[in-house]
């Protein structure tokens, strides 16, 4: 008489061993492709605007080329005009740039110089100031004119969490 129980039992143990080997291979492979990523993000945005300008946060980017400061005082501001202007602190290639767009509105004051300042902080007690840069309206104001305000914040952003504040005076 031929017994089918014994070969079936041997096959089951081989299948179980093959499954175990397969699980070990999958675990080893999965651990080799798993990596962790650290993300850095802004904690908050605070834009303080007076005298009718509309200010919009354009975010952070890498500075591609070194640029001299522009709009360094009310005696030498960047003036609003038909085309977009750029006011900036000295920019060093490879550093991080924070960009703010300052636009005129129908309630912007004519013949006015504005100072735009960036503050980055990791706490209330630890706040770093960048700028200010200076922008100015002419004798007539056309709503929607834009000046790009750029601030060099150094080689790296502070550790998260951090916040930034932009003031216009």
């Amino acid at each position: 008489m031929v017994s089918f129980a014994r070969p079936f039992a041997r096959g089951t143990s081989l299948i179980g061993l093959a499954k175990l080997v397969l699980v070990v291979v999958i675990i080893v492979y999965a651990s080799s492709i798993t990596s962790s990523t650290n993300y850095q993000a802004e904690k908050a945005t605070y834009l303080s605007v007076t005298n009718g300008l509309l200010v919009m946060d354009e975010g952070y980017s890498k500075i591609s080329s070194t640029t001299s400061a522009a709009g360094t005082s009310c005696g030498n501001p960047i003036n609003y005009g038909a085309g977009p202007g750029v006011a900036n602190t000295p920019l060093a290639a490879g550093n991080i740039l924070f960009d703010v767009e300052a636009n005129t509105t129908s309630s912007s004051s004519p013949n006015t110089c504005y100072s735009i300042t960036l503050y980055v902080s990791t706490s209330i007690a630890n706040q770093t100031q960048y700028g200010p840069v200076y922008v100015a309206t002419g004798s007539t104001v056309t709503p929607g004119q834009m000046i790009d305000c750029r601030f060099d914040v150094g080689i790296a952003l502070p550790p998260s969490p951090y916040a930034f504040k932009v003031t216009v005076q």
Side-chain angles (χ1 to χ4, degrees), residues 9 27 33 37 39-40 43 54 61 65-66 71 74 76 93 104 107 111 118 122-123 132-133 153 155 163:
I27 290 171
I33 62 169
T37 303
Y39 293 98
Q40 188 158 341
K43 184 177 180 183
L54 172 64
S61 63
S65 62
T66 299
C74 277
N76 190 23
T104 56
S107 60
N111 295 318
L118 169 68
T122 53
S123 68
V133 295
V153 296
I155 196 72

Side-chain angles (χ1 to χ4, degrees), residues 30-102:
S31 67
S32 70
I33 62 169
T34 303
S35 63
S36 62
T37 303
N38 293 328
Y39 293 98
Q40 188 158 341
E42 299 170 359
K43 184 177 180 183
T45 302
Y46 175 75
L47 304 175
S48 173
V49 182
T50 59
N51 299 321
L53 291 184
L54 172 64
V55 179
M56 295 184 292
D57 161 20
E58 295 291 315
Y60 292 95
S61 63
K62 202 74 142 167
I63 299 170
S64 59
S65 62
T66 299
T67 306
S68 299
T72 56
S73 69
C74 277
N76 190 23
I78 299 300
N79 295 302
Y80 283 99
V86 176
N88 58 275
T89 62
L91 306 177
N95 281 2
I96 304 225
L97 171 86
F98 181 76
D99 196 358
V100 174
E101 187 178 297

Side-chain angles (χ1 to χ4, degrees), residues 148-168:
D148 205 17
C149 302
R150 300 175 179 170
F151 301 91
D152 185 329
V153 296
I155 196 72
L157 293 172
S160 291
Y162 64 91
F164 65 89
K165 170 176 76 171
V166 175
T167 60
V168 178

